[in-house]
Amino acid sequence: MGLDDAISKARRQQELQEASKRQEEDRRQRDQQRLGLLLTEAAERLVPYRSETLHLMRVSPTGAFLGQDGHRYQEVSSHWCWLIKELKNSPTAWNRSVMLLVMEGTTPHAVRAELNLRSSKAGQYVSSLSLTPVGPGDYSDRGFAALLFGEWVGELEKDLGAAIVRYERGT
């Protein structure tokens, strides 16, 4: 094999890698666009059921809320939200992980929230931890294909559909 053959082969490999990166970026953009439309539609359908609130707290020596850990907390923000699904079971009503559809202004976000503070009211979620956007990792138990091919958005769509029906029926 001559140098010209080696150069041609290297160019083909480079072109294939660049094409693969472009395809992956295009897929990610399509997933993000699809996700945005999905969350907007879900929020529109759930608006009549505004009965839950997510309260985000931070440690504050003058906070009015006393946590289970003995620290005082102050509310930083609150948002309308709807429970998409429980992510792990816990024997208590606090210190659990949930997936929520949260409204920040007029923008809906699907987030994972660690509820590490006890709420005194039903339909109130309280956390002092950062929210994490829902992504492929939340559906990794569904297999590698869900991560690789963006099928996680379809799985989220199924979960949102189930949540909408649950709210419609009041269960």
Side-chain angles (χ1 to χ4, degrees):
M1 172 162 92
L3 182 57
D4 287 336
D5 291 338
I7 291 170
S8 293
K9 184 177 179 181
R11 284 182 180 149
R12 281 193 304 274
Q13 285 178 328
Q14 185 68 32
E15 289 169 0
L16 287 173
Q17 288 176 352
E18 290 171 357
S20 178
K21 286 179 184 177
R22 281 192 303 273
Q23 288 174 345
E24 178 63 20
E25 184 56 33
D26 289 347
R27 185 196 58 77
R28 281 191 191 128
Q29 288 177 357
R30 282 192 310 274
D31 284 351
Q32 286 302 312
Q33 185 177 31
R34 183 176 166 211
L35 179 63
L37 294 171
L38 174 64
L39 296 178
T40 298
E41 183 179 356
E44 288 170 357
R45 290 175 183 246
L46 287 167
V47 162
Y49 309 103
R50 283 190 175 177
S51 60
E52 298 176 325
T53 308
L54 171 64
H55 300 278
L56 297 176
M57 312 289 255
R58 71 169 181 215
V59 174
S60 170
T62 60
F65 182 82
L66 182 62
Q68 295 293 335
D69 57 4
H71 291 100
R72 293 201 160 279
Y73 290 86
Q74 175 183 14
E75 185 171 324
V76 176
S77 63
S78 65
H79 307 274
W80 290 110
C81 70
W82 300 271
L83 178 67
I84 299 172
K85 68 178 189 174
E86 296 275 341
L87 294 175
K88 56 184 169 183
N89 295 327
S90 175
T92 62
W94 54 282
N95 201 21
R96 61 189 177 137
S97 184
V98 295
M99 188 181 292
L100 300 171
L101 180 64
V102 175
M103 291 298 291
E104 290 188 76
T106 58
T107 307
H109 299 281
V111 298
R112 186 173 60 250
E114 302 298 326
L115 306 177
N116 63 331
L117 300 172
R118 186 183 304 230
S119 172
S120 60
K121 299 178 188 173
Q124 304 287 312
Y125 302 100
V126 184
S127 181
S128 68
L129 304 173
S130 298
L131 303 177
T132 306
V134 170
D138 295 301
Y139 290 94
S140 60
D141 63 326
R142 308 270 167 98
F144 184 67
L147 296 172
L148 185 60
F149 299 112
E151 293 177 15
W152 70 273
V153 178
E155 295 298 323
L156 175 59
E157 186 173 41
K158 291 175 190 174
D159 288 339
L160 285 166
I164 290 168
V165 169
R166 196 174 61 248
Y167 278 96
E168 286 174 346
R169 294 187 179 197
T171 56

